[in-house]
Amino acid sequence: QVQLAESGGGLVQVGGSLRLSCVVSGFTLDDYSIGWFRQVPGKEHEGVSCMSSSDGSTYYADSVKGRFTISRDNAKNTVYLQMNSLKPEDTAIYFCATPFRERCLGVNGMDYWGQGTLVTVSN
């Protein structure tokens, strides 16, 4: 059974940093790509980042490029999202997700995701 469990969300001030973590089970990061999307309640979700399992290629939404970094520890079946220079518009629920394929479909096309973790960026 595919499961993803996020942690690390919280309240942070503008310009601050947070690191989100996600432990996966039911599949391995050696074989399947992994990523993140976010959603503000009442709005469409937005793909944030993805890392391909095959060659480690990374993809980022333009809105987070240069500020967010995705990484993974295959031995721990854990993926991370380091978020720096946070802005109020980054406030959202962040979901760890997988397109359940070897390569990312950009930052979209996710098939499985976790329960999400809330990130709030305050002025």
Side-chain angles (χ1 to χ4, degrees), residues 27-83:
F27 68 103
T28 69
L29 299 180
D30 291 315
D31 297 323
Y32 294 97
S33 297
I34 191 73
W36 298 83
F37 69 86
R38 63 188 182 186
Q39 187 165 26
V40 176
K43 295 188 176 181
E44 288 285 321
H45 72 266
E46 177 189 14
V48 172
S49 183
C50 191
M51 175 179 276
S52 291
S53 62
S54 54
D55 60 3
S57 298
T58 56
Y59 303 83
Y60 295 96
D62 288 343
S63 58
V64 306
K65 206 169 290 184
R67 300 188 297 121
F68 290 12
T69 304
I70 189 171
S71 62
R72 67 186 181 199
D73 184 334
N74 288 13
K76 296 182 179 179
N77 264 355
T78 301
V79 60
Y80 305 97
L81 186 69
Q82 178 67 43
M83 306 185 296

